[in-house]
Amino acid sequence: MNKEEIKNLLPHREPMLLVDEAEFENGVSHGKIHIRGDEWFLQGHFPGHPVVPGVMLCEMLAQSACVCLKDMMKPGVLTYFAGLDKVRFKNPVHPGDTLETECEITKSRHPFYFAKGEGRVNGQLCVSAEFSFVIKEPEEQKEYDR
């Protein structure tokens, strides 16, 4: 999937749509995020030595994981983080890097989904995490947002 096809799947839009390419095969999503250097989250993090913030790496993993649920992702559906566990940052991600993600759903109990993922640059592990999220249909969102 290219970025336009991903927009048909995820509700995120720029500047929060963070996955540039994605594919799904054998129960695993593979995503690519090209760090250009002009992203808003690099401004001030850190002057003269830009590093992708850890929280943004976690969001990149989560967006990549949603590709695993492409059959459930329809217009108006939103995904919310429910938890992050065992998050580890091993190596920094810098402008010019391409973060390659690999994520899979480990358990589901609709509307809750549990996943694990890793992000690598040139084969080197940068981030790993277990996380959970909830999928809410449009009619359920107001109740959840209270």
Side-chain angles (χ1 to χ4, degrees):
M1 300 177 152
N2 63 31
K3 200 155 194 166
E4 288 306 310
E5 292 168 320
I6 294 168
K7 285 181 181 180
N8 292 326
L9 175 69
L10 296 178
H12 303 76
R13 293 296 179 265
E14 286 81 6
M16 280 305 295
L17 179 60
L18 302 173
V19 180
D20 295 321
E21 302 172 39
E23 61 182 54
F24 179 70
E25 62 180 84
N26 300 323
V28 178
S29 69
H30 300 271
K32 288 187 181 181
I33 300 97
H34 309 288
I35 308 301
R36 298 177 315 276
D38 62 352
E39 291 86 357
W40 61 272
F41 50 80
L42 291 175
Q43 297 173 16
H45 195 270
F46 301 100
H49 187 73
V51 175
V52 177
V55 68
M56 298 309 296
L57 294 173
C58 291
E59 178 67 21
M60 292 169 185
L61 287 177
Q63 288 185 23
S64 294
C66 286
V67 175
C68 294
L69 301 170
K70 64 182 183 171
D71 294 335
M72 299 187 68
M73 302 298 291
K74 54 189 175 212
V77 168
L78 294 179
T79 56
Y80 295 92
F81 255 130
L84 284 165
D85 295 306
K86 300 179 184 172
V87 178
R88 299 289 180 264
F89 303 106
K90 300 292 186 180
N91 290 289
V93 179
H94 299 100
D97 289 342
T98 296
L99 183 72
E100 296 187 30
T101 62
E102 189 172 290
C103 300
E104 64 182 294
I105 303 300
T106 57
K107 185 168 88 172
S108 65
R109 187 177 206 173
H110 186 75
F112 294 95
Y113 295 85
F114 301 84
K116 65 180 181 178
E118 294 182 344
R120 298 175 184 274
V121 172
N122 296 323
Q124 190 170 32
L125 184 64
C126 297
V127 60
S128 63
E130 294 179 7
F131 45 97
S132 56
F133 52 97
V134 64
I135 295 179
K136 288 292 183 177
E137 302 287 336
E139 62 275 4
E140 300 170 315
Q141 291 170 20
K142 288 183 182 174
E143 180 181 317
Y144 185 78
D145 288 342
R146 289 183 197 167

